Each structure stands twice: as C-alpha cells, then as structure tokens.
Amino acid sequence: MFLPARMRKLKIITLDQYADSAVRSLHEEGIVQIHDISERIQQDAEWAQILKPSKVTPQTGKIASLLMKTSGIADFLSTMGAEDTGLKDMIKGFINPSVFDKKEVEDLDSEALIERAESLLGEVESQTKVLEDKLAGFDSEKTEIEAALSVSEKLINFDVDFADLENSKYISVLAGKMPLEQFDKFQKAASDSTDELVVFDTDADAKTEKIIMVITLNKHGDEIAGILRKMEFERFEISGLSGKPKDLIVNSKNRLDNIAHERKSVVTELREVARKWEDELLVLKEQLEIEKERNEVFASFGETKKTVMFEAWVPVKKQEKALEVIEKSTKGHAVVDSEEPDTDEVPIVQDNPRFAKPYENFVEMYSPLKYNEIDPTIFMAIIFPFFFGFCLTDAGYGIIDALIGVVLYLGLGKVNKFMRDFGIILIACGAWAFILGMATNGFVGDMFPSLFNLSLPTVIPAIDAFKNPANILIMALVVGVLHINFGLVLGAINNIRMGDMSSALGTQIVWLILEAGIVLYLLGGIFVGGPVVLIALAMLLYFNGLFGLMDVSGFLGNLLSYARLLALCLSTGGIAMTVNILTGLSIEMIPIIGIILAPIIFVGGHIANLAFQSLGAFINSLRLHYVEFFAQFYMGGKTKFEAFRAERSFTKVRR
C-alpha cells in the first residue's frame, strides 16, 4: 500500500497457432503490459541466433484503412447530425450526460471483422454518398455565386451587361479599383500610351478609392494592364458573368436563398442517416481500434519457425490470473517463466486504497514513482483536502464546493474518470473548508453576525479568524513543520531502504537533528541545545560542504512558505466581509434601487470570491506538496504501467 505494486516479468513461449488466441485473451483481460523485445533481438547476437523479430499481421494495413474510413464517415455524420442546443440542454448534458448502452458483439477474428466492416461501410456509403455529393455541389455553386455577387455589388453603378464585356478578338476589358490618388496618374499614363481606350469610373464606398472600367483594343490590353499594376490596381473577375449588375444581384440572392433551403433539406436527410447508423459506426470503430492494436502488438514479439515468444509485465497480485489466461488460451501449449524485475526498467503500478485513488493523478502529474520508493498518495489524500480547507476556511464556500463535487461525481463522472476523481477530491476539500470555517468563524465571511446578528455556535475563540489571526499563523507554521518533517522522515526511510545511508544523514536526518537542537535550546538554554546544533552544523559541512550551510536559509524559506495558509485564509474572509459590508451599505445608502442592487452585489461578489479563492486554495495546496513536501524525499522514476487492454466504451463481447 505504501509502495508501488510488486511486479513480475513473464516470458511466454507458445506455438504460433496459439499466439493470436493468447493475445486476444490477454487483451480482453487487460492485466499485463507487453514488453517490446524486437530491439533486443536485433542488437543481441545471442538472441538473434535463436529468434527473429515478428512483424505486424498482414491484415493490419487493411484494418487501419477501414478504421480511417469509419472515423471519417462517423465524424461527417456527427457534424451533420449536430443540432444547436440551448443553454438549458447544455447544462442538463453537464449535470446528467447520457450514457451509451453498450452493444453486445461477437468476438470476430480479423478476417471476419474486415468482411463485416466492408459490408457495413458499403451500406452506409450508399446512403451518404449521393447526399454528400449534393452538399459539395451546393457549396461549390454558393462560392461562385457569392463571388459574382461581390463583383456585381462593387460595379452596381455601371449600367452595362457583363455579357457585352467579354474579352474578344478585338477588345480587352479590365474592371477593378485603385487608390484615388493613383487615378489621375493612370489617366495620364494611359493617354500617353494610346488614345484607343475608354475609361468609366465611379466612387467606391471608401472615399479614398475609385472603381474603374477600362475598355481598349486588344492590341493595347497587355500594356494597359501593365500600367494598372503599377497603380495598385485590384482587378475584379468579370469573365463568365452575364446580365447587368443590379439584375445579377437580385438573381444571386434568390439563388443563395434557394441553395440554403435545398441544403437544409439534404442536411435533414443526413441527420436521419446519422440517427440510423451513428451507434453502429461507433461500435464498428471501437472494434477496429481494438483489432488494430491486437494486430500491431505482434511487432513487439520474437519468433522461430513454429513458435512465438513475448514478454509481459504483470502485478504480482494478478500473476496467477495471467498464467491462467495464458494456459487456457493456448490449451496448455505454452511455457511461461516468471522472474524478478530489474528495478530500473519495471513499469510502475500504484497500489492504493480506493479513497486515495483519485490523488494518484496528482502524483503522476509530478512524476511517475520509482519502483522501490514510498508512494506518498495516501498521505496526499489526507493532507491535500486539509490544506485546501485551511486556505479557504469558509463553511458556506465549502458547502458549495462540495456540492459542485457531487454534481461532477454523479454527472460527468459517469462518462469521464478524471471528472469522477476530481469530484471526489472536491467533495473532500469542501468538507474540510466547512469544518475549518465553522471553527474559525467563517460562513460566507461574517454573514451571520453582520447581517443577522447571530454567532456561529461552533466557533473556537482562540482561532477566530476575525479576532485572533496570530494564532492561525502559529497553527499554519506548526502544520508546516510537521509536514516538512514528515517528508524528511519519508526521505530518510527511502534512502536507508536503498542502502544510501550517506544521503539519509546528509539530506534528511541532519535537519531533524538541527530542529531538535533548536527545540532543546528554547527549552533548556545554550548548554543543552548548543551541542546538538553544533553537531547538526558539522554534519552539514561534512556531507554537503560549505554549500550545506547555505541550505539553512532555504530550509527556513520552506517552513515560512506555510504562512500562505494564513494569508489565503484571511483574504477569503476579508473579501467576503467586504462584500457583506457593500451589500449592507447599498441597502442603507441607496433608496429603493439599493434593495434591488443588494442581492446582485451579494451573489455576484461571493461567486467571484468563491471562484478565485477556491482556485487559489487548490493551486497553493498543490504547491505546498510539490515544492515543500516532495522536495524532502521524492525521487521519481520514468515509466508508468500501460496495460495491454481492449478499451470498450461502446461494446461488450458476447460470451
């Protein structure tokens, strides 16, 4: 419980005809992590004489292709099937999300699954392809019409049919806009070039621009175009257009309306298709993902002409089950060797009681554990909510945080493990905030005494946050000393267990001796505590050199960091009290409107205070663990156990 789960490495040799069955059974059970031995076979000459690296199965490429196709169709139908939902539905989905009712499926082999996937996708595509092509046609036509509409709106002041302006064998037509200050320069340059051109112009919406249309003989077209390019001319594409701009605008808008209507009709048909096939596609996608993983895992194996060898990590508690699965799936045609792991390469499985499981996320976020070091998750599960409650120290806010935790646990927690874990953590944090708030006179700030002239019966006068903050500071520092010393003890145990007595004495025990010396000095004077302090300082110099003495200031800094518990406690109560005062003042000082304003100030102010202070309490509690506590003992490893498991969210295998 206080160490990561004990592990074993299994070396399994079986006949190649049973390899697939063994892989499928272990994948469904999800209790081992496959260890890749292909690289070792390639690099170790002795292994290479016996084995050659296995390869993925021949069906892997086809399964990957079908998986990609299934994902594409499912995503497309999901996009088409999505309907706008209101705020009420969004909140309802958050509080009580729908849970997929898992479909029972047959345990198909690769060939059978490929056949089923091709059949199903063919049937779905026969219904979606035509509609998809229609949508693509609408989108393409809409783009062209919008371009024509844009040009027509810019040239609306020209009463001319675009069909008459087509470039021909004899004339060249250029339309576009240019900066106003360039227009005169263009006219001069064009007249210097030729007098065989006509220029029509009008003001653009922007007063600094001119819309122009230039018609010239075809032989002058390139030269005029060259002059225009030098004048920052932006050309409009009018080729292919027919009709006058005003008529074109009316026709284009009508057609866009028709396209929107026809597109909506097609989308409605696609939604029907999505509703019919969505579940089937999700099921198929999951089956293909699982099958792909099974087929790819063979690349981690080694093989001979008739046998297959692979290795797997398994927790000791599940070793017997793994051996049973291998025995059954290979019909007894397997040889399994179980060996003690190399501590440097073993993947880590945390082994904590249920109440501490959610806090494994925090330890993993910091760093995976080392195999032989103490797992601090249980201690964090006890201390973290207490620190959060100490920082928040408000019973009313604690109730709200706990209720949010309940909503997360019962709502999104049904479909999301992280949200379920976070909900549990928030409930524990809210409970401690309630307990400490009731003890220190914090319930939505000073709401009861200031607004209702009532006192909380549970307040302990010595730690009343509004009357004796100094005592809370002492409490925070005592908590800090205990927390850090506990970390030092864990660090010393870690080092001694690993046979590193020097590190235990120089980095942990020395600080415990120094603290004992200071306590003895305070209790018995210099002659009692002085020698102990000198011993501690001598140890610092011996084990850490001169820099060891400099660590004294760092150690004191770590202790003083716990004063933040008081700072956050007071800031929560102070801001809450300010909100209460403003609420009271608005009623007293602002006639009539103040009565309307007061609830807004009260609710808005406390929601903001709750959000900021809860976030601050969470971050600072985490910091006190990561920076002050873990620094005393945590070593950290590099490998986390990744179970070879068929993740089934939409399917269950028919037995």
Side-chain angles (χ1 to χ4, degrees), residues 62 70 112 153 174 266 318 320 510 525 531 648:
K62 183 66 177 175
T70 306
E153 287 175 340
L174 298 159
V266 173
K318 296 178 179 174
E320 189 176 338
V510 65
R648 295 191 179 276

Side-chain angles (χ1 to χ4, degrees), residues 231-258:
M231 305 293 174
E232 303 176 41
F233 178 72
E234 182 186 329
R235 184 170 179 174
F236 300 155
E237 188 55 63
I238 59 173
S239 62
L241 300 182
S242 177
K244 294 183 178 180
K246 288 180 180 175
D247 297 334
L248 210 53
I249 289 170
V250 173
N251 293 336
S252 296
K253 287 183 177 177
N254 289 337
R255 181 55 189 150
L256 285 175
D257 289 340
N258 290 336

Side-chain angles (χ1 to χ4, degrees), residues 188-195 220 223-224 227:
K188 183 174 186 311
S191 61
D192 290 345
S193 173
T194 177
D195 57 357
H220 303 304
E223 187 178 357
I224 296 299
I227 295 171

Side-chain angles (χ1 to χ4, degrees), residues 440-636:
T440 58
N441 199 16
F443 196 111
V444 193
D446 61 343
M447 182 179 75
F448 278 93
S450 67
L451 298 185
F452 306 113
N453 199 25
L454 293 172
S455 299
L456 293 173
T458 53
V459 175
I460 301 172
I463 56 172
D464 186 330
F466 296 106
K467 296 177 180 175
N468 296 302
N471 289 344
I472 295 181
L473 175 61
I474 294 170
M475 225 174 92
L477 293 178
V478 170
V479 166
V481 170
L482 294 175
H483 198 219
I484 286 185
N485 282 341
F486 185 50
L488 291 172
V489 171
L490 293 180
I493 294 172
N494 264 339
N495 283 321
I496 292 170
R497 286 182 66 253
M498 294 179 187
D500 192 354
M501 195 63 194
S502 176
S503 291
L505 288 168
T507 57
Q508 283 106 23
I509 295 175
V510 65
W511 298 109
L512 297 172
I513 295 174
L514 181 62
E515 289 181 71
I518 293 171
V519 172
L520 289 173
Y521 167 74
L522 294 173
L523 294 176
I526 187 70
F527 295 107
V528 178
V532 180
V533 172
L534 287 176
I535 291 172
L537 294 176
M539 287 177 68
L540 274 177
L541 281 170
Y542 178 77
F543 288 108
N544 305 308
L546 286 173
F547 286 107
L549 294 177
M550 296 172 66
D551 289 341
V552 174
S553 61
F555 186 74
L556 289 174
N558 286 340
L559 286 178
L560 292 175
S561 287
Y562 288 82
R564 73 184 63 236
L565 294 172
L566 167 71
L568 289 160
C569 161
L570 293 183
S571 69
T572 304
I575 295 172
M577 191 167 65
T578 305
V579 172
N580 293 337
I581 291 171
L582 289 174
T583 303
L585 289 175
S586 67
I587 296 173
E588 294 171 7
M589 301 182 69
I590 308 174
I592 302 175
I593 296 177
I595 297 174
I596 301 170
L597 202 58
I600 298 172
I601 294 173
F602 184 81
V603 174
H606 283 299
I607 287 176
N609 193 31
L610 168 67
F612 283 116
Q613 299 299 339
S614 295
L615 181 63
F618 194 88
I619 291 171
N620 281 286
S621 301
L622 207 57
R623 186 193 185 282
L624 287 174
H625 278 85
Y626 282 174
V627 180
E628 275 76 23
F629 184 54
F630 282 9
Q632 311 307 326
F633 68 94
Y634 201 91
M635 300 178 190

